Amino acid sequence: MRNQGVVKATLPDAASLVGWMGCVQAQDFAQAKWGLGLRTGAPEARIEEDFNAGRILRTHVLRPTWHFILPQDIGWMLRLSAPRIKAFSKPMHRQLDIDTAVLRRSKKVIEKSLAGGKALTRTELATIFKRARINTDDIRMNFLMMDAELDGIICSGPRKGKQFTYVLLTEGVSQVLDLDGDAALGELARRYFTSRGPATLQDFAWWGGVNLGQAKRGFEVVKEMLECVVVNGQAYWFARALVDTAGLALPGSGTLADTASLALPRSGALPPVILLPAFDELTVAYKDRSDILPREYEKESSYGLKPVVVVNGRIVGIWRRVLGKGKVIVEVRLFEKVSKTAERLIGREVKRYGKFVEEGVVEIRKLC
């Protein structure tokens, strides 16, 4: 929790946090913004502003799902993960009759349509595809766009209302870290164990979307900066110092991060109650979640991937936001009875969430 910034919001903004963590899973956009907000103290509007300004991007990387990532990290991380994601997609390409010629044509259409700094929505691009006689039925559009992302042609652009857009990556990103091979695996391992340790090699392989052999190669690059503790026969690795930012570029600086600017707290009370968003890195970043997730609650919480209520380091329930007129409603369903103090602190966390979304009135509903 300390290494992920959950204990105390010390990182100044969303971009610094995403850089510290390498990338942050973000297929549920609204929930993912809360994951950044609870770690930085930034309101939703400011995170939305950072996203629209391109200070953080959203693309398919690591495992084939959406992640927030820094512009300067997108190149090396795509080169590292694209081959495996493309291999994962090939069976669906065959099923959907998407061959190399279709992919080549679709990318030419995309590049032509977005040239000159244009930002277009999926709907707008689908219309252009149909004019070019490129089939977008079923889920073909998803795979056409993802393949263009993996080739570094497109990335997320500013939203049009509530709609996401795409822009050309070469026009939206100027500064990049140039890493390949074991250097890239090592940087991925460094970001992971620094921000998410203590963790196992299996955890790192799962999170990074790499095989165990690649995970070991990356681990060897950074092993000298890590410490190990063995618990129940399992080795857990973490950074020797909680602050080690060598090689991490700050947004817009183009220089190595100042150690002090990304310092995380060595001490401080662990929060007794947290409302974690869906797919939060405190759960999704680990293959083994048994320390936070009791086995009897795995299915009800979708193995910790739903928005969950954490009390004293254990998942004890789930929650969701329901949009109301002029207010935010948070429905909480607990799996077990908690203390009166915990109930009060859950209410306080709901108010903190209300402040994040900047709604004047917050209502909590407890479900059986």
Side-chain angles (χ1 to χ4, degrees):
M1 288 185 183
R2 291 190 182 107
N3 286 348
Q4 287 204 24
V6 174
V7 168
K8 184 179 180 182
T10 57
L11 297 178
D13 50 44
S16 297
L17 175 67
V18 171
W20 171 260
M21 301 190 76
C23 58
V24 175
Q25 193 159 325
Q27 68 265 49
D28 188 318
F29 186 67
Q31 290 278 320
K33 286 187 291 183
W34 169 233
L36 302 184
L38 72 85
R39 288 168 168 85
T40 63
E44 184 177 29
R46 191 183 308 161
I47 295 171
E48 186 87 30
E49 179 184 330
D50 286 341
F51 177 76
N52 287 333
R55 289 187 280 270
I56 55 175
L57 305 176
R58 184 170 173 261
T59 193
H60 286 88
V61 73
L62 298 188
R63 306 177 301 282
T65 191
W66 294 101
H67 283 81
F68 285 135
I69 189 170
L70 288 190
Q72 52 265 55
D73 287 326
I74 195 169
W76 70 267
M77 213 172 282
L78 279 175
R79 287 195 298 272
L80 183 62
S81 58
R84 184 165 181 170
I85 298 177
K86 285 197 170 198
F88 176 87
S89 300
K90 276 186 177 180
M92 284 303 299
H93 283 186
R94 289 192 292 269
Q95 184 175 327
L96 296 168
D97 197 24
I98 299 175
D99 58 19
T100 302
V102 170
L103 292 173
R104 185 168 55 247
R105 282 181 57 220
S106 68
K107 288 166 191 171
K108 286 182 178 179
V109 170
I110 289 171
E111 290 177 309
K112 183 178 179 180
S113 302
L114 297 179
K118 293 191 183 77
L120 298 178
T121 66
R122 286 169 59 91
T123 302
E124 290 169 331
L125 284 168
T127 299
I128 295 171
F129 278 159
K130 288 179 181 178
R131 288 180 194 153
R133 297 182 179 179
I134 296 175
N135 185 3
T136 59
D137 292 343
D138 300 319
I139 57 172
R140 284 171 59 95
M141 185 70 175
N142 294 352
F143 284 94
L144 295 177
M145 299 307 294
M146 185 165 68
D147 201 74
E149 286 179 290
L150 295 174
D151 281 354
I153 294 172
I154 57 174
C155 63
S156 58
R159 292 218 287 174
K160 291 183 180 179
K162 294 185 178 181
Q163 298 299 309
F164 293 98
T165 68
Y166 292 93
V167 297
L168 291 180
L169 180 61
T170 53
E171 294 183 353
V173 175
S174 55
Q175 296 177 337
V176 295
L177 293 179
D178 188 14
L179 299 170
D180 281 300
D182 284 0
L185 286 169
E187 180 63 9
L188 193 70
R190 188 186 69 79
R191 303 273 186 108
Y192 178 78
F193 287 107
T194 299
S195 64
R196 295 168 177 83
T200 69
L201 267 176
Q202 291 80 6
D203 290 332
F204 170 51
W206 149 253
W207 174 83
V210 296
N211 59 44
L212 197 55
Q214 290 173 307
K216 289 178 179 177
R217 283 164 51 197
F219 169 77
E220 287 298 325
V221 174
V222 297
K223 185 177 180 180
E224 292 304 313
M225 64 163 283
L226 301 179
E227 291 188 15
C228 175
V229 62
V230 177
V231 180
N232 295 328
Q234 176 65 63
Y236 291 84
W237 297 89
F238 53 96
R240 179 169 291 113
L242 288 183
V243 178
D244 187 329
T245 57
L248 175 59
L250 281 175
S253 69
T255 61
L256 297 184
D258 174 23
T259 297
S261 69
L262 291 182
L264 293 182
R266 285 183 175 275
S267 61
L270 296 176
V273 172
I274 319 170
L275 295 186
L276 285 183
F279 306 102
D280 188 78
E281 293 292 329
L282 202 57
T283 55
V284 76
Y286 307 94
K287 186 174 183 180
D288 179 3
R289 298 164 196 160
S290 58
D291 287 327
I292 189 172
L293 176 60
R295 184 176 297 276
E296 61 267 30
Y297 303 149
E298 287 179 344
K299 291 186 178 179
E300 291 177 283
S301 67
S302 292
Y303 295 89
L305 301 182
K306 285 184 177 180
V308 293
V309 181
V310 179
V311 174
N312 294 325
R314 293 174 65 254
I315 291 174
V316 299
I318 55 178
W319 67 279
R320 68 170 184 158
R321 179 181 72 170
V322 179
L323 296 177
K325 189 174 182 179
K327 63 181 177 181
V328 59
I329 301 168
V330 174
E331 294 182 344
V332 175
R333 183 163 72 87
L334 299 177
F335 303 146
E336 62 185 50
K337 187 176 178 58
V338 300
S339 68
K340 293 292 184 182
T341 299
E343 286 187 359
R344 177 176 56 81
L345 292 176
I346 290 171
R348 189 176 71 178
E349 283 298 286
V350 168
K351 289 181 180 178
R352 182 161 77 116
Y353 179 73
K355 185 177 179 181
F356 166 75
V357 297
E358 298 183 306
E359 291 285 353
V361 180
V362 181
E363 178 181 325
I364 183 170
R365 295 177 182 170
K366 296 178 183 177
L367 305 179
C368 297

